[in-house]
mmCIF file of all heavy atoms in Angstrom:
data_model
loop_
_atom_site.group_PDB
_atom_site.id
_atom_site.type_symbol
_atom_site.label_atom_id
_atom_site.label_comp_id
_atom_site.label_asym_id
_atom_site.label_seq_id
_atom_site.Cartn_x
_atom_site.Cartn_y
_atom_site.Cartn_z
ATOM 1 N N PHE A 54 53.843 156.109 107.165
ATOM 2 C CA PHE A 54 55.208 156.595 107.070
ATOM 3 C C PHE A 54 55.467 157.468 108.292
ATOM 4 O O PHE A 54 54.566 158.180 108.749
ATOM 5 C CB PHE A 54 55.308 157.511 105.851
ATOM 6 C CG PHE A 54 56.212 157.054 104.759
ATOM 7 C CD1 PHE A 54 55.967 157.480 103.448
ATOM 8 C CD2 PHE A 54 57.314 156.264 105.002
ATOM 9 C CE1 PHE A 54 56.798 157.104 102.409
ATOM 10 C CE2 PHE A 54 58.152 155.884 103.967
ATOM 11 C CZ PHE A 54 57.899 156.310 102.673
ATOM 12 N N HIS A 56 58.115 160.356 108.804
ATOM 13 C CA HIS A 56 59.225 161.197 108.340
ATOM 14 C C HIS A 56 59.719 162.035 109.512
ATOM 15 O O HIS A 56 58.983 162.883 110.038
ATOM 16 C CB HIS A 56 58.776 162.085 107.177
ATOM 17 C CG HIS A 56 58.899 161.436 105.839
ATOM 18 N ND1 HIS A 56 58.129 160.360 105.466
ATOM 19 C CD2 HIS A 56 59.739 161.684 104.782
ATOM 20 C CE1 HIS A 56 58.475 159.990 104.230
ATOM 21 N NE2 HIS A 56 59.446 160.770 103.798
ATOM 22 N N TRP A 67 64.135 168.802 102.294
ATOM 23 C CA TRP A 67 65.333 168.069 101.864
ATOM 24 C C TRP A 67 66.555 168.727 102.500
ATOM 25 O O TRP A 67 67.024 169.775 102.029
ATOM 26 C CB TRP A 67 65.501 168.134 100.330
ATOM 27 C CG TRP A 67 64.652 167.178 99.549
ATOM 28 C CD1 TRP A 67 63.669 166.367 100.024
ATOM 29 C CD2 TRP A 67 64.724 166.930 98.136
ATOM 30 N NE1 TRP A 67 63.120 165.631 99.000
ATOM 31 C CE2 TRP A 67 63.749 165.955 97.830
ATOM 32 C CE3 TRP A 67 65.502 167.431 97.101
ATOM 33 C CZ2 TRP A 67 63.535 165.480 96.525
ATOM 34 C CZ3 TRP A 67 65.303 166.961 95.807
ATOM 35 C CH2 TRP A 67 64.322 165.996 95.527
ATOM 36 N N HIS A 105 67.159 159.889 105.716
ATOM 37 C CA HIS A 105 66.572 160.609 104.574
ATOM 38 C C HIS A 105 67.713 161.134 103.711
ATOM 39 O O HIS A 105 68.882 160.808 103.954
ATOM 40 C CB HIS A 105 65.624 161.711 105.066
ATOM 41 C CG HIS A 105 64.619 162.120 104.038
ATOM 42 N ND1 HIS A 105 64.678 163.325 103.388
ATOM 43 C CD2 HIS A 105 63.540 161.470 103.523
ATOM 44 C CE1 HIS A 105 63.677 163.388 102.510
ATOM 45 N NE2 HIS A 105 62.963 162.273 102.579
ATOM 46 N N HIS A 106 67.394 161.945 102.706
ATOM 47 C CA HIS A 106 68.426 162.371 101.745
ATOM 48 C C HIS A 106 69.595 163.112 102.396
ATOM 49 O O HIS A 106 70.695 163.143 101.849
ATOM 50 C CB HIS A 106 67.814 163.277 100.661
ATOM 51 C CG HIS A 106 66.607 162.704 99.988
ATOM 52 N ND1 HIS A 106 66.426 161.353 99.784
ATOM 53 C CD2 HIS A 106 65.497 163.307 99.462
ATOM 54 C CE1 HIS A 106 65.277 161.160 99.154
ATOM 55 N NE2 HIS A 106 64.690 162.324 98.966
ATOM 56 N N TYR A 151 62.874 153.026 105.756
ATOM 57 C CA TYR A 151 63.195 153.819 104.571
ATOM 58 C C TYR A 151 64.666 154.172 104.715
ATOM 59 O O TYR A 151 65.069 154.738 105.736
ATOM 60 C CB TYR A 151 62.303 155.055 104.597
ATOM 61 C CG TYR A 151 62.607 156.180 103.634
ATOM 62 C CD1 TYR A 151 61.677 156.551 102.650
ATOM 63 C CD2 TYR A 151 63.768 156.945 103.734
ATOM 64 C CE1 TYR A 151 61.915 157.622 101.802
ATOM 65 C CE2 TYR A 151 64.012 158.010 102.875
ATOM 66 C CZ TYR A 151 63.082 158.350 101.915
ATOM 67 O OH TYR A 151 63.308 159.414 101.072
ATOM 68 N N ASP A 191 63.723 154.827 98.029
ATOM 69 C CA ASP A 191 63.272 156.046 97.355
ATOM 70 C C ASP A 191 64.031 156.242 96.035
ATOM 71 O O ASP A 191 65.212 155.913 95.934
ATOM 72 C CB ASP A 191 63.549 157.231 98.286
ATOM 73 C CG ASP A 191 62.763 158.446 97.895
ATOM 74 O OD1 ASP A 191 62.898 158.910 96.752
ATOM 75 O OD2 ASP A 191 62.009 158.939 98.731
ATOM 76 N N ALA A 193 64.457 159.294 94.553
ATOM 77 C CA ALA A 193 64.937 160.675 94.340
ATOM 78 C C ALA A 193 66.467 160.747 94.322
ATOM 79 O O ALA A 193 67.140 160.168 95.167
ATOM 80 C CB ALA A 193 64.384 161.592 95.431
ATOM 81 N N GLU A 247 52.147 161.729 94.588
ATOM 82 C CA GLU A 247 52.263 161.744 96.052
ATOM 83 C C GLU A 247 50.991 162.302 96.689
ATOM 84 O O GLU A 247 51.022 162.922 97.750
ATOM 85 C CB GLU A 247 53.515 162.530 96.468
ATOM 86 C CG GLU A 247 54.782 161.762 96.082
ATOM 87 C CD GLU A 247 56.080 162.430 96.512
ATOM 88 O OE1 GLU A 247 56.083 163.654 96.759
ATOM 89 O OE2 GLU A 247 57.103 161.723 96.604
ATOM 90 N N ASP A 289 51.434 156.596 98.437
ATOM 91 C CA ASP A 289 52.042 157.313 99.567
ATOM 92 C C ASP A 289 51.618 158.769 99.536
ATOM 93 O O ASP A 289 51.593 159.414 98.489
ATOM 94 C CB ASP A 289 53.572 157.147 99.600
ATOM 95 C CG ASP A 289 54.262 157.756 98.389
ATOM 96 O OD1 ASP A 289 53.634 157.794 97.304
ATOM 97 O OD2 ASP A 289 55.408 158.192 98.524
ATOM 98 N N TRP A 296 56.305 166.372 103.882
ATOM 99 C CA TRP A 296 56.572 165.046 104.459
ATOM 100 C C TRP A 296 57.082 165.171 105.896
ATOM 101 O O TRP A 296 56.891 164.274 106.707
ATOM 102 C CB TRP A 296 57.602 164.291 103.619
ATOM 103 C CG TRP A 296 57.055 163.881 102.292
ATOM 104 C CD1 TRP A 296 57.259 164.497 101.092
ATOM 105 C CD2 TRP A 296 56.169 162.772 102.025
ATOM 106 N NE1 TRP A 296 56.566 163.835 100.095
ATOM 107 C CE2 TRP A 296 55.898 162.776 100.639
ATOM 108 C CE3 TRP A 296 55.597 161.777 102.825
ATOM 109 C CZ2 TRP A 296 55.077 161.830 100.035
ATOM 110 C CZ3 TRP A 296 54.779 160.837 102.225
ATOM 111 C CH2 TRP A 296 54.525 160.864 100.847
HETATM 112 C C1 FUL B 1 60.331 161.339 97.907
HETATM 113 C C2 FUL B 1 61.305 162.104 98.799
HETATM 114 O O1 FUL B 1 62.104 162.999 98.045
HETATM 115 C C3 FUL B 1 60.453 162.830 99.815
HETATM 116 O O2 FUL B 1 61.208 163.653 100.654
HETATM 117 C C4 FUL B 1 59.701 161.777 100.620
HETATM 118 O O3 FUL B 1 60.606 161.010 101.387
HETATM 119 C C5 FUL B 1 58.867 160.896 99.699
HETATM 120 C C6 FUL B 1 58.176 159.783 100.401
HETATM 121 O O4 FUL B 1 59.672 160.370 98.674
HETATM 122 O O5 FUL B 1 60.946 160.810 96.803
#
Side-chain angles (χ1 to χ4, degrees):
F54 244 154
H56 273 67
W67 280 7
H105 202 252
H106 308 328
Y151 168 117
D191 198 302
E247 291 183 339
D289 64 330
W296 290 100

